[in-house]
Amino acid sequence: MSFERVQEKLNILADAAKYDVSCSSSGSNRTNTNKGLGNASNSGICHTYTEDGRCVSLLKILLTNHCIFDCAYCVTRKSNDIKRAAFQVQEVVDLTINFYRRNYIEGLFLSSGIFKSADYTMERLVSVAKKLRLEENFNGYIHLKSIPGASDELMREAGLYADRLSVNIEIPTEQGLKLLAPDKNRADFIKPMEKVKNEIIQYKSEKKLIKSTPKYAPAGQSTQMIVGASGENDMQIMYTSNYFYKNFNLKRVYYSGYVPISYDTRLPQIGTPVPMLRENRLYQTDWLLRFYGFNIEEILNEQHQHLDLDIDPKLGWALRNLHEFPVDVNKADKRMLARIPGLGMKSVFKILHARRYRQLNWDHLKAIGVSLNRAQYFLICASNKFETRDLTAEKIKGLILQNTKSKYTSMLSNQLNLFG
């Protein structure tokens, strides 16, 4: 195979992979052994950042953009008239090693269209990871996309060579999937996720007894949902996320605003803005569920099915629950401190530590990093200077927005129109 042909394949299949955002290497601690290549500890993905601030990247490609399915929302659907290509297993191995040796990447994110069958495709994905680990002694980060419908045997083998596995459920509801991808079955997405969850539990249990037990998908598994393609509201999307977090121990759920690629009448038409602000609000809600102690019913329910686009979800919750405030930062527990708008979890822990030594006032809170533009309406501290007026939720919201600058301001009016 000529260099020019491999380069052409790389251009096609790297471009096709850009629609998949469900990639992250956080959580893996595969270390370099036997003087091998790479190290997955603290490595990252596609110009993301590690905890120590390093910018890291990996090779993100499809094995092939041929596909037997005709999902309306997918650029690689079989009816789409695009240029097709497919890598051989060894070509992906060689690209990964060559890119790593040149310090371009720190690992591999490998996905694929489904050609011939789920097992046929998954077997080749596993072969790439297996060759990298066993033949090239590569210890860098590997993220494999699990193919819906793949056998348990292949999923088990995949987890022995990959740091993270992911199955994209694609559309948040079963009804939406049937509308846009009638050939697909939701159960085929669930089966490999269940297998990975059970294998992770089993291997962790065995490792407690036998230290030589190999690691199985040490960075866990994740999934991705497309936002804005099939009409689901925010409540439906986040309740689906909550279900998968609780039942499959996912590390992450990724939300991808739908990029219009088709004139199909079932989809938003080409030219419709990508719902980037809505995507951002979903990520913020996801963060509240995983790190701030919120329950999904508190943020989204039958009375409040859409997230506010002009304010973040924690502020939205606070404005709907003014009876919970003001909170005394010198007395409140961690749970209530985390619910104050303008306080991140780092600020919460700093407050808990600092107040052991003295009563905190506004100057202390500002030094800690509290966003007083929002927080001042929801807390009290060791000071006589409080916001004592009897303000309504709408008035507080107006005052906060008046002094807030956001990179999403320009797109706010366009996305609000989508809900009209």
Side-chain angles (χ1 to χ4, degrees), residues 184-195:
K184 287 188 173 179
N185 187 338
R186 189 64 170 264
D188 289 337
F189 295 88
I190 302 299
K191 181 184 174 185
M193 295 176 78
E194 184 73 32
K195 176 64 175 177

Side-chain angles (χ1 to χ4, degrees), residues 26-27 42 49-54 346:
S26 57
N42 291 323
Y49 292 87
T50 60
E51 291 182 355
D52 61 3
R54 291 188 304 116
K346 287 185 178 180

Side-chain angles (χ1 to χ4, degrees), residues 264-398:
D264 192 310
T265 55
R266 294 170 293 175
L267 292 163
Q269 294 302 292
I270 291 178
T272 303
V274 178
M276 293 177 61
L277 179 52
R278 185 183 181 199
E279 176 187 308
N280 178 254
R281 296 299 184 221
L282 291 169
Y283 274 116
Q284 289 175 325
T285 303
D286 186 283
W287 213 254
L288 294 181
L289 299 180
R290 292 193 293 133
F291 300 112
Y292 284 74
F294 280 85
N295 295 319
I296 184 61
E297 296 83 3
E298 295 180 280
I299 304 172
L300 291 162
N301 48 56
E302 291 296 333
Q303 291 72 44
H304 190 72
Q305 298 185 21
H306 292 283
L307 296 169
D308 299 302
L309 291 179
D310 54 348
I311 56 175
D312 67 83
K314 184 160 77 164
L315 177 56
W317 175 85
L319 292 174
R320 294 193 301 274
N321 293 273
L322 287 179
H323 61 278
E324 300 271 4
F325 301 97
V327 171
D328 188 340
V329 295
N330 288 301
K331 297 179 181 179
D333 60 15
K334 184 177 76 171
R335 173 184 174 275
M336 277 311 300
L337 287 174
R339 289 170 177 247
I340 299 174
L343 266 71
M345 290 308 299
K346 287 185 178 180
S347 294
V348 169
F349 288 116
K350 287 179 181 179
I351 288 171
L352 290 172
H353 176 75
R355 74 185 191 187
R356 291 160 54 189
Y357 303 99
R358 65 173 303 158
Q359 293 285 294
L360 304 179
N361 59 33
W362 294 112
D363 290 334
H364 299 138
L365 295 177
K366 186 175 181 180
I368 282 172
V370 174
S371 176
L372 296 181
N373 174 45
R374 283 172 286 170
Q376 64 179 318
Y377 303 102
F378 302 96
L379 63 80
I380 56 176
C381 58
S383 173
N384 294 322
K385 297 178 180 179
F386 299 124
E387 181 53 71
T388 56
R389 290 173 291 171
D390 187 16
L391 298 175
T392 64
E394 283 301 317
K395 183 64 174 177
I396 294 173
K397 178 178 176 179

Side-chain angles (χ1 to χ4, degrees), residues 86-149:
F87 279 122
Q88 296 176 14
V89 169
Q90 191 61 47
E91 288 175 335
V92 179
V93 173
D94 291 342
L95 279 171
T96 303
I97 296 301
N98 288 332
F99 276 40
Y100 179 82
R101 289 188 188 280
R102 288 165 175 77
N103 203 30
Y104 294 156
I105 61 169
E106 295 184 60
L108 172 68
F109 176 90
L110 184 61
S111 184
S112 182
I114 302 173
F115 57 123
K116 292 192 178 181
S117 69
D119 278 354
Y120 183 88
T121 307
M122 192 68 208
E123 184 179 7
R124 277 146 186 77
L125 294 176
V126 173
S127 294
V128 171
K130 191 173 183 178
K131 277 178 170 288
L132 283 169
R133 297 296 191 212
L134 301 185
E135 296 180 15
E136 302 293 342
N137 202 15
F138 181 72
N139 291 291
Y141 177 76
I142 298 178
H143 182 154
L144 292 183
K145 292 304 298 293
S146 306
I147 303 300

Side-chain angles (χ1 to χ4, degrees), residues 78-282:
K78 67 179 180 182
S79 64
N80 199 16
D81 185 18
I82 60 172
K83 199 166 188 177
R84 306 285 178 172
F87 279 122
Q88 296 176 14
V89 169
Q90 191 61 47
E91 288 175 335
V92 179
V93 173
D94 291 342
L95 279 171
T96 303
I97 296 301
N98 288 332
F99 276 40
Y100 179 82
R101 289 188 188 280
R102 288 165 175 77
N103 203 30
Y104 294 156
I105 61 169
E106 295 184 60
L108 172 68
F109 176 90
L110 184 61
S111 184
S112 182
I114 302 173
F115 57 123
K116 292 192 178 181
S117 69
D119 278 354
Y120 183 88
T121 307
M122 192 68 208
E123 184 179 7
R124 277 146 186 77
L125 294 176
V126 173
S127 294
V128 171
K130 191 173 183 178
K131 277 178 170 288
L132 283 169
R133 297 296 191 212
L134 301 185
E135 296 180 15
E136 302 293 342
N137 202 15
F138 181 72
N139 291 291
Y141 177 76
I142 298 178
H143 182 154
L144 292 183
K145 292 304 298 293
S146 306
I147 303 300
S151 68
D152 286 352
E153 291 76 15
L154 284 170
M155 291 308 305
R156 179 182 178 277
E157 192 174 15
L160 293 174
Y161 300 111
D163 294 280
R164 174 167 287 185
L165 298 170
S166 59
V167 182
N168 286 357
I169 60 173
E170 299 173 359
I171 301 298
T173 62
E174 192 165 358
Q175 296 88 338
L177 187 67
K178 287 295 182 186
L179 173 67
L180 299 177
D183 294 336
K184 287 188 173 179
N185 187 338
R186 189 64 170 264
D188 289 337
F189 295 88
I190 302 299
K191 181 184 174 185
M193 295 176 78
E194 184 73 32
K195 176 64 175 177
V196 172
K197 182 194 77 170
N198 292 337
E199 291 289 347
I200 290 174
I201 293 172
Q202 180 180 338
Y203 272 81
K204 283 184 177 179
S205 177
E206 290 179 1
K207 197 164 185 65
K208 291 178 181 178
L209 302 174
I210 307 172
K211 296 301 181 183
S212 60
T213 300
K215 295 176 180 178
Y216 183 91
Q221 63 175 327
S222 59
T223 192
Q224 174 182 338
M225 288 187 285
I226 300 170
V227 176
S230 46
E232 289 87 3
N233 61 36
D234 295 333
M235 184 181 78
Q236 291 172 302
I237 294 171
M238 291 310 306
Y239 273 59
T240 298
S241 292
N242 192 57
Y243 170 81
F244 281 100
Y245 275 129
K246 287 189 172 181
N247 290 280
F248 297 96
N249 301 329
L250 295 191
K251 289 289 187 179
R252 287 290 302 273
V253 175
Y254 292 85
Y255 309 92
S256 177
Y258 175 67
V259 180
I261 56 169
S262 168
Y263 289 104
D264 192 310
T265 55
R266 294 170 293 175
L267 292 163
Q269 294 302 292
I270 291 178
T272 303
V274 178
M276 293 177 61
L277 179 52
R278 185 183 181 199
E279 176 187 308
N280 178 254
R281 296 299 184 221
L282 291 169

